[in-house]
Amino acid sequence: MTRKIIVTGGCGYIGSHVARAFKQNGDQVFIIDRVKRDHTLTDIDGYFIGDFISDGSLSTMFDLAPDVIVHCAGTSLVGPSMEDPGEYYENNIVKTIALLNFVKEFDKKPVIMFSSSASVYGEPDTMPITESTKKNPISPYGNTKAMTETILGDYWGAYALKSMCFRYFNAAGAEPHMFDLGQEAGATHLIARVLEASIAGRAVTINGDDFDTPDGTCVRDYIHVWDIARAHVLGADYMLNNDPIPNSGAFIFNLGTNQGTSNKEIVDYVYTKYKIPFVNYGPARFGDPSELIADATSAKQKLGWVPEYSDIKTIIDSAYRWYMPLNTAGNNEF
């Protein structure tokens, strides 16, 4: 049976990959986003450009009566959340509550898939991190993800609005089968920043070299964005055929590889293969944990999910090929 899928934030990095994965699965896919990026709308069944709780967006949801809403829309950077937490609480909490209050009244309630984050764990005492590890976010951004998970659990208990939260670790890379799209310049995450620096022929800055890690730089569990997208398709299959235990909250799954890579290891790989003129080390950003590594056993066992593309070299090489159309066309205004 063909399912109707709405992806909020579907023109964004993760949202566009999720939308494409559902479309390749044979589902009908509709995007809601306040920013229009034409290359992310290829082969999509429909879209609405606007804030996800605008009147037009909500009317679109009501008219479509979707089976699944994948909620990727939101504000998503740790550093800026420290400087302007109000924007994060407004966009990620207040608006999400408005969305949930709207869809909980549908005769046929959609299932909700929420883009959560490893930031809900803060600086955990033990590695790898399981879903039962205590949530202890250390940034407003992390707070908004943890709060939304709690809200979704409460809405399941009170309104039978079923939901699944994917705690992404570090999403990176690009869809391995479509290398002609071109990414927009101005990246914020490390791998993309390092590749932009390489293509533009300029130095790159690493935030912090005195963390409590083997080489002094942050260690993260990098997960290929296409593996994340595929997890959503499997998660939708699972949710449409299983109910959470009443009052137990939403389904929660880590998405990671159980393996860490340091910032320096990433820079060294790009320096060797793609070249970087110079590497600077600046101060660490407040709110950045030293190490985050996932235990994703639950997703593998319950969803049948296997991260196929998430070795670090495949991630970096796929991201580089995604950037190349910009470089080839001479449009890399870095």
Side-chain angles (χ1 to χ4, degrees):
M1 183 182 78
T2 301
R3 304 172 299 192
K4 291 183 181 178
I5 314 292
I6 289 178
V7 183
T8 70
C11 285
Y13 171 53
I14 292 176
S16 64
H17 281 83
V18 169
R20 197 169 293 122
F22 274 110
K23 187 61 183 175
Q24 288 187 18
N25 187 59
D27 296 301
Q28 285 188 297
V29 181
F30 302 85
I31 281 175
I32 293 175
D33 203 313
R34 59 187 178 187
V35 176
K36 183 179 181 182
R37 296 185 176 94
D38 288 334
H39 70 266
T40 66
L41 301 174
T42 304
D43 296 328
I44 299 301
D45 295 282
Y47 62 88
F48 182 87
I49 301 303
D51 192 284
F52 66 88
I53 61 161
S54 69
D55 290 343
S57 296
L58 296 179
S59 295
T60 297
M61 294 183 197
F62 182 81
D63 292 341
L64 287 173
D67 299 288
V68 180
I69 296 176
V70 184
H71 187 34
C72 295
T75 318
S76 61
L77 298 174
V78 170
S81 80
M82 309 295 290
E83 299 168 4
D84 187 11
E87 176 187 354
Y88 280 71
Y89 290 115
E90 173 68 25
N91 207 30
N92 295 1
I93 299 294
V94 175
K95 290 183 180 180
T96 296
I97 291 173
L99 171 64
L100 297 176
N101 284 340
F102 183 74
V103 300
K104 73 179 176 64
E105 302 298 334
F106 286 13
D107 291 336
K108 184 192 80 173
K109 293 180 175 62
V111 298
I112 308 296
M113 307 189 79
F114 174 58
S115 295
S116 191
S117 165
S119 64
V120 302
Y121 297 114
E123 185 96 53
D125 295 329
T126 58
M127 295 289 162
I129 302 165
T130 69
E131 289 87 353
S132 61
T133 298
K134 181 181 178 181
K135 292 193 289 186
N136 187 29
I138 56 176
S139 69
Y141 167 66
N143 287 338
T144 66
K145 294 298 185 181
M147 289 177 186
T148 302
E149 288 187 1
T150 299
I151 292 165
L152 286 169
D154 290 340
Y155 273 55
W156 160 242
Y159 310 117
L161 188 63
K162 200 187 311 185
S163 57
M164 179 176 288
C165 302
F166 281 128
R167 293 174 179 167
Y168 310 149
F169 279 62
N170 278 49
E175 193 205 350
H177 309 298
M178 295 180 69
F179 297 124
D180 59 346
L181 299 180
Q183 174 62 296
E184 296 182 358
T188 55
H189 297 290
L190 179 69
I191 289 176
R193 287 197 296 111
V194 172
L195 291 175
E196 285 189 2
S198 172
I199 292 170
R202 56 172 168 76
V204 66
T205 298
I206 302 301
N207 298 112
D209 60 356
D210 58 354
F211 288 95
D212 185 18
T213 60
D215 64 22
T217 65
C218 284
V219 172
R220 294 290 184 267
D221 189 337
Y222 287 89
I223 181 75
H224 198 290
V225 68
W226 192 242
D227 285 329
I228 287 175
R230 290 173 50 254
H232 284 75
V233 177
L234 294 171
D237 294 341
Y238 184 85
M239 248 200 315
L240 291 168
N241 292 290
N242 294 275
D243 286 331
I245 299 170
N247 301 314
S248 65
F251 291 111
I252 304 287
F253 292 106
N254 285 340
L255 294 183
T257 65
N258 200 20
Q259 184 172 320
T261 304
S262 75
N263 287 354
K264 185 177 185 303
E265 288 173 320
I266 289 168
V267 170
D268 287 348
Y269 178 79
V270 176
Y271 179 84
T272 300
K273 186 164 185 178
Y274 300 117
K275 308 305 178 188
I276 305 172
F278 191 73
V279 180
N280 300 311
Y281 287 90
R285 299 177 302 187
F286 185 74
D288 268 348
S290 298
E291 185 177 20
L292 291 174
I293 298 175
D295 182 336
T297 301
S298 184
K300 294 174 183 177
Q301 291 180 344
K302 294 181 180 179
L303 305 183
W305 175 73
V306 177
E308 296 180 15
Y309 301 96
S310 291
D311 66 277
I312 196 63
K313 292 182 181 179
T314 298
I315 287 173
I316 294 172
D317 292 345
S318 69
Y320 183 80
R321 292 180 68 177
W322 199 23
Y323 272 104
M324 284 312 295
L326 286 175
N327 188 46
T328 302
N331 295 324
N332 51 320
E333 298 177 358
F334 303 138

